[in-house]
Amino acid sequence: MKYEASISGKLSASSVQVLTELAQNAKRELEQYETLSEGIIINGSIQSGLPAFGTMTDYEKNGLQTRIKNELGQQIFRLSNLSNVVILTNDGQTVFDLGYEWYPDNQLNKLAEAVDTSPGNAYWTYIRSNRGTNRIALSRMIYAEDNMNERLGFLIILIDEKVFSRNTYRQVDLGAGSSIYISNANGMVVSSVSPEIPQGTLFEKSEVFDKVTGQFKEQAFYARVGGKKTLVVSSYIRSADWYLIGLVPHAFLVSELSEMRGDIVFICLLTLLLSGMLALWIYFSISSPMRSLLQYANQIRLGQLETKIGTSHPDEMGKLTETINRMVEQLKLLIYQVKTGQQAKRDAELKMLQAQINPHFLFNTLNSLKWSAMMSGNESVKQGIESLSELLRNTILVKEELIPLESEIENLLHYATIQRIRYGDSFKLSCGMSHEELYTCLVPKFILQPIVENSILHAGSEDGRRVGIKVEGFKDGPFLRIRIEDDGKGFDMKDVQAREKSHAKLSGIGMANVDERIRIHFGTAYGLITRSEVNTGTETIITLPILTKEGQEHV
């Protein structure tokens, strides 16, 4: 469309320029006939003969015609394309007629009358002879040479239209199928070289002529001529009040474009074919590896992990294949590790079942010793064996890491009973909670025993004074705080690092172990804080979250 608009614009400008030059040619051609007519008008024989022509005898009229012919013959016959030169009186009588054709229906008198309506003393029009030949007619009034207000008669010059068109525009071609013609001010065709545009007709008056003389004067525009889209260009011939009109078929303007469209269609089809081939190549280059990967994935789903996909191209699919291969290798390693772990677990379970036999012998033995001590009346030994049995039972058989605080205190009391067998009444242990519901709180197992053990072993003084150990718990906002304090000899806090771990402890559990287990379970906000003064005593505060059996924290 852009190409068509560009070509149309350029050809329109070019055609307008060509028609402007042709209009100048036509103007020069018409001017020579006007010059000839002026020479005829001022001829002395005509100026003197016309006023007296009505009173002349036939002999005098014949003599006048002979003089005019002799005086004007050479001047007239110099122009070979003249068919007739006619001189008429005011009342239409023929004074002089040099030519070889005549015109029916009194056409010459009508031409003389039309001069009165023309804006100047020159009226150009079209006329057809008795033989059907096309003629261009110039009509002028003959005025008296010494009095321009006195009209003597009329001069009519008839020109061969074929010669006129040949001399002006016939040789010009605006393009294949184009036409050039001339119409007068009424739209009648005066001259034409195309048989489709006959002279003397109103050719496409509404579609072409009315627009040429109206809004598109001396402009190019498109119109429907003969049912076809046609570019119309025009140029005005002012001297004759004519319009030189050129018709250029739109098909000629876009003829190259039609060929170009064929080339474009061919290029598009070729591009589409190449694009399709490229798309197929891309499709197969992706779909084939994808099918291989899908088949490989199905084999993996069925457990066939030994199958390995082959190498692929060094592209994204190749990288994906390599990644899946590494994933399968990792999966095989994990499966091997799981199998190994399961086998180790089965071995451990077997050993555990075997090891469970030993505590039964231990508990049966302790039970026998308890009944022996009871039969012998040794109550302290009996209580010690009973506490040891319960303590070992809770240590060995209870697998939970978090137990109720009440159970933890029971374990602590069993431990104290055992220690009294060794240390007697060297210490006094008391336990209590600020609220009864605190006994149901969950705490890590064996967090009180190492702290109380330190107080029993290290808080006693050389004077044999009885050491008081108090364990109490209270609620502090969202925290459960358990205070273990004694009134023993205490120690210097500078030596706390050296005394952080005790070497006399049950089941290898020390205070540092207790603090670490609490922090692992609940975070760094929880743990142990120990304060001590020499000869005053030691205080240890355990900070824990308030948890129920369901593991929910109370606020």
Side-chain angles (χ1 to χ4, degrees):
M1 291 175 64
K2 291 182 179 179
Y3 175 79
E4 179 180 347
S6 175
I7 291 297
S8 297
K10 292 178 180 179
L11 287 181
S12 298
S14 175
S15 300
V16 169
Q17 185 175 2
V18 169
L19 258 67
T20 301
E21 293 295 329
L22 293 180
Q24 293 296 325
N25 292 341
K27 180 182 177 182
R28 287 191 291 269
E29 185 74 13
L30 296 176
E31 284 177 349
Q32 68 176 345
Y33 299 116
E34 292 182 358
T35 303
L36 173 63
S37 66
E38 292 174 355
I40 295 174
I41 289 173
I42 63 174
N43 179 264
S45 298
I46 295 175
Q47 286 287 324
S48 61
L50 277 177
F53 186 77
T55 61
M56 287 183 180
T57 63
D58 292 339
Y59 175 79
E60 291 174 338
K61 291 180 181 178
N62 187 47
L64 175 62
Q65 292 173 353
T66 301
R67 287 197 307 272
I68 294 174
K69 182 178 181 180
N70 293 333
E71 294 173 358
L72 299 179
Q74 185 179 358
Q75 185 179 1
I76 293 174
F77 290 113
R78 183 172 54 85
L79 300 175
S80 60
N81 54 342
L82 292 179
S83 61
N84 290 86
V85 176
V86 181
I87 299 175
L88 302 176
T89 62
N90 289 328
D91 55 2
Q93 297 182 46
T94 302
V95 176
F96 179 78
D97 185 357
L98 179 62
Y100 50 86
E101 290 186 353
W102 64 276
Y103 301 89
D105 301 329
N106 202 21
Q107 294 185 69
L108 296 180
N109 291 332
K110 294 179 180 179
L111 294 178
E113 295 174 0
V115 179
D116 292 332
T117 61
S118 63
N121 188 20
Y123 176 70
W124 289 93
T125 188
Y126 162 82
I127 192 173
R128 186 182 296 270
S129 70
N130 63 317
R131 295 188 300 174
T133 55
N134 300 312
R135 299 289 181 258
I136 296 175
L138 169 62
S139 304
R140 300 195 67 174
M141 292 183 183
I142 301 175
Y143 291 96
E145 187 176 8
D146 55 352
N147 185 5
M148 295 300 295
N149 293 324
E150 182 182 357
R151 188 172 64 183
L152 303 179
F154 300 94
L155 170 64
I156 300 175
I157 298 177
L158 300 171
I159 307 162
D160 190 344
E161 185 270 335
K162 288 185 178 180
V163 178
F164 173 79
S165 61
R166 183 188 62 197
N167 294 340
T168 54
Y169 66 88
R170 182 185 293 270
Q171 305 303 324
V172 177
D173 186 8
L174 296 179
S178 62
S179 303
I180 301 176
Y181 70 97
I182 299 175
S183 66
N184 63 11
N186 298 321
M188 184 180 67
V189 178
V190 174
S191 175
S192 171
V193 295
S194 174
E196 289 82 11
I197 308 176
Q199 294 89 338
T201 62
L202 297 175
F203 177 75
E204 297 287 350
K205 187 174 186 300
S206 60
E207 285 292 329
V208 177
F209 182 77
D210 292 345
K211 295 179 180 178
V212 166
T213 58
Q215 56 179 336
F216 296 108
K217 190 172 184 178
E218 296 189 357
Q219 295 182 18
F221 62 92
Y222 280 102
R224 303 296 298 184
V225 178
K228 298 180 181 179
K229 186 178 180 181
T230 305
L231 177 67
V232 180
V233 292
S234 64
S235 182
Y236 181 59
I237 305 175
R238 186 176 301 277
S239 60
D241 195 17
W242 285 355
Y243 292 90
L244 183 64
I245 300 174
L247 304 177
V248 184
H250 180 263
F252 166 74
L253 299 179
V254 297
S255 57
E256 295 182 1
L257 182 60
S258 299
E259 296 177 1
M260 185 181 297
R261 282 174 178 162
D263 295 338
I264 292 175
V265 171
F266 173 75
I267 293 172
C268 290
L269 291 176
L270 181 61
T271 304
L272 184 61
L273 177 61
L274 295 178
S275 301
M277 296 174 61
L278 179 61
L280 288 176
W281 178 79
I282 295 174
Y283 169 75
F284 286 116
S285 67
I286 295 176
S287 64
S288 180
M290 284 297 294
R291 284 195 296 268
S292 300
L293 285 177
L294 181 60
Q295 184 178 2
Y296 187 36
N298 289 329
Q299 293 176 350
I300 295 174
R301 181 176 61 85
L302 297 175
Q304 301 176 7
L305 302 180
E306 300 302 324
T307 304
K308 189 174 183 181
I309 194 170
T311 58
S312 181
H313 298 286
D315 54 8
E316 287 77 4
M317 297 302 299
K319 294 179 181 178
L320 179 60
T321 301
E322 184 180 353
T323 302
I324 293 178
N325 284 332
R326 290 199 299 266
M327 182 185 68
V328 171
E329 293 296 329
Q330 186 68 21
L331 181 60
K332 291 165 61 177
L333 178 61
L334 292 176
I335 292 175
Y336 173 77
Q337 292 176 351
V338 169
K339 288 183 177 179
T340 305
Q342 288 178 348
Q343 183 63 38
K345 182 179 179 181
R346 284 195 295 270
D347 294 342
E349 288 176 350
L350 180 61
K351 292 180 180 179
M352 183 183 68
L353 292 175
Q354 294 174 350
Q356 285 179 351
I357 300 175
N358 296 330
H360 286 290
F361 284 108
L362 177 62
F363 293 144
N364 290 337
T365 302
L366 290 176
N367 192 38
S368 298
L369 292 174
K370 182 186 74 171
W371 284 104
S372 298
M374 185 175 62
M375 293 295 291
S376 62
N378 193 336
E379 185 65 24
S380 62
V381 174
K382 177 248 183 189
Q383 292 177 355
I385 293 174
E386 186 176 6
S387 296
L388 177 60
S389 178
E390 290 297 326
L391 187 60
L392 289 176
R393 189 184 305 277
N394 292 332
T395 302
I396 296 174
L397 300 182
V398 178
K399 305 299 182 182
E400 290 82 2
E401 178 63 24
L402 297 179
I403 62 175
L405 180 57
E406 183 179 11
S407 299
E408 177 66 12
I409 292 177
E410 289 178 357
N411 290 335
L412 179 61
L413 294 178
H414 288 312
Y415 171 74
T417 300
I418 296 171
Q419 291 295 74
R420 283 193 181 93
I421 297 175
R422 178 180 179 183
Y423 295 103
D425 291 334
S426 63
F427 67 91
K428 179 182 178 181
L429 176 63
S430 62
C431 299
M433 297 293 128
S434 62
H435 298 85
E436 289 296 326
E437 62 268 17
L438 294 180
Y439 285 104
T440 62
C441 293
L442 297 179
V443 298
K445 184 167 57 175
F446 289 108
I447 61 173
L448 299 178
Q449 177 268 331
I451 303 172
V452 172
E453 182 182 22
N454 281 341
S455 297
I456 294 173
L457 296 180
H458 305 293
S461 59
E462 288 78 3
D463 57 3
R465 183 173 58 86
R466 190 180 186 186
V467 177
I469 303 173
K470 182 187 294 185
V471 178
E472 60 180 356
F474 58 92
K475 183 178 179 182
D476 183 11
F479 303 106
L480 169 63
R481 302 193 191 275
I482 303 175
R483 181 186 295 112
I484 303 101
E485 59 180 358
D486 63 64
D487 55 359
K489 63 182 181 180
F491 58 88
D492 191 350
M493 288 297 296
K494 295 180 181 179
D495 299 332
V496 69
Q497 296 296 333
R499 297 180 178 273
E500 189 173 17
K501 295 183 179 180
S502 174
H503 295 285
K505 52 188 180 290
L506 181 66
S507 302
I509 302 175
M511 291 183 64
N513 179 275
V514 172
D515 184 62
E516 183 177 359
R517 285 194 297 127
I518 292 175
R519 293 179 185 273
I520 290 174
H521 273 293
F522 309 117
T524 57
Y526 306 92
L528 303 183
I529 297 178
T530 301
R531 294 186 292 269
S532 181
E533 293 184 10
V534 178
N535 298 326
T536 300
T538 302
E539 178 187 58
T540 299
I541 298 178
I542 303 176
T543 302
L544 299 168
I546 298 178
L547 300 176
T548 64
K549 282 188 177 181
E550 292 77 12
Q552 301 296 325
E553 185 172 351
H554 293 284
V555 179

